[in-house]
């Protein structure tokens, strides 16, 4: 492989890394919002059930299941609070964004050189070293799945990846499926909660 090809490959890696981590940052920020909203809504539901019991409001509020529902709701709040603390969505999203910004800046500085016919080995080594230093500084791979984010990045990288319309459609469907699976727990929990509240209120 020629040195020019090596420059092209390194630039391609930088481009993929920056775009992937930008998308990952946005996804993790959504997790931060949805997790927080879920905890708040469940907490409000617990208070609402307690008020319904106090004033005897609701067709099924006097059943023994009302207390069981309150207990499970309290457990759900605890579980989501622990998940938020463990996954550190907000902190990880900030690291992802910072890493993507640094790599994008490095990529812009490298862009003129990748088209040169005679780049030097020292130039390549310097950019490669700085790239790996950035990745080491913002290492965040531990418990995150970047598959969907990486596919979205490659779909944007028309300079390096060419997909037919059917391939592009299939990849978009895969991304959608991965994202739905990633965020499904919020919809399931809140859907079940609203159904329970409806049952307590209307029977």
């Amino acid at each position: 492989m020629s040195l020019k090809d090596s420059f092209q490959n390194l630039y391609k890696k930088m481009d993929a890394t920056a775009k992937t981590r930008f998308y990952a940052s946005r996804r993790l920020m959504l997790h931060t919002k949805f997790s927080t909203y879920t905890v708040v809504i469940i907490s409000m539901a617990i208070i609402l059930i307690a008020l319904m019991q106090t004033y005897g409001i609701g067709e099924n509020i006097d059943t023994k299941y009302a207390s069981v529902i309150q207990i499970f709701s309290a457990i759900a709040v605890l579980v989501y609070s622990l998940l938020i603390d463990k996954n550190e969505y907000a902190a990880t999203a900030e690291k992802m964004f910072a890493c993507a910004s640094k790599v994008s800046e490095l990529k812009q500085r490298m862009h003129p050189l990748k088209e040169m016919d005679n780049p030097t080995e020292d130039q390549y080594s310097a950019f490669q070293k700085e790239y790996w230093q950035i990745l080491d500084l913002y290492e965040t791979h531990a418990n995150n799945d970047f598959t969907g984010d990486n596919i979205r990045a490659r779909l944007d990288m028309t300079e390096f990846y060419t997909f037919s319309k059917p391939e592009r459609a299939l990849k978009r469907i895969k991304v959608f499926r991965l994202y739905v699976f990633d965020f499904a727990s919020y919809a399931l929990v809140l859907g079940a909660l609203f159904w329970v509240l409806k049952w307590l209120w209307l029977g």
Side-chain angles (χ1 to χ4, degrees), residues 6-26:
S6 297
F7 260 92
Q8 291 280 356
N9 284 334
L10 182 58
Y11 184 87
K12 178 181 174 181
K13 286 181 181 179
M14 291 181 185
D15 197 18
T17 298
K19 286 183 169 64
T20 297
R21 296 202 174 200
F22 272 129
Y23 280 126
S25 176
R26 294 175 189 172

Side-chain angles (χ1 to χ4, degrees), residues 138-165:
Y138 294 101
E139 180 57 50
T140 51
H141 281 76
N143 296 312
N144 293 292
D145 182 5
F146 300 127
T147 304
D149 306 314
N150 185 253
I151 293 173
R152 292 183 72 185
R154 282 186 283 146
L155 288 172
D156 287 346
M157 295 169 63
T158 54
E159 180 182 357
F160 299 106
Y161 296 99
T162 302
F163 300 109
S164 65
K165 288 185 177 180

Side-chain angles (χ1 to χ4, degrees), residues 67-87:
S67 296
V68 175
I69 291 168
Q70 283 181 300
I71 293 172
F72 273 101
S73 298
I75 293 172
V77 169
L78 176 62
V79 168
Y80 267 101
S81 298
L82 290 174
L83 285 174
I84 293 171
D85 184 61
K86 178 185 176 182
N87 292 319

Side-chain angles (χ1 to χ4, degrees), residues 10 13-18 20-21 95-96 98-100 102-104 106 127-141 146:
L10 182 58
K13 286 181 181 179
M14 291 181 185
D15 197 18
T17 298
T20 297
R21 296 202 174 200
K95 288 182 180 179
M96 290 284 182
C99 179
K102 289 284 188 180
V103 173
S104 292
L106 181 63
F127 278 106
Q128 186 182 48
K129 181 179 179 181
E130 190 172 351
Y131 172 62
W132 287 113
Q133 285 176 340
I134 292 172
L135 294 187
D136 289 340
L137 182 62
Y138 294 101
E139 180 57 50
T140 51
H141 281 76
F146 300 127

Side-chain angles (χ1 to χ4, degrees), residues 2 6 8 14 28 44 68 80 89 92 117 148 152 172:
S2 67
S6 297
Q8 291 280 356
M14 291 181 185
L28 292 172
M44 291 176 65
V68 175
Y80 267 101
Y89 290 128
T92 305
D117 293 327
R152 292 183 72 185
R172 290 190 184 280

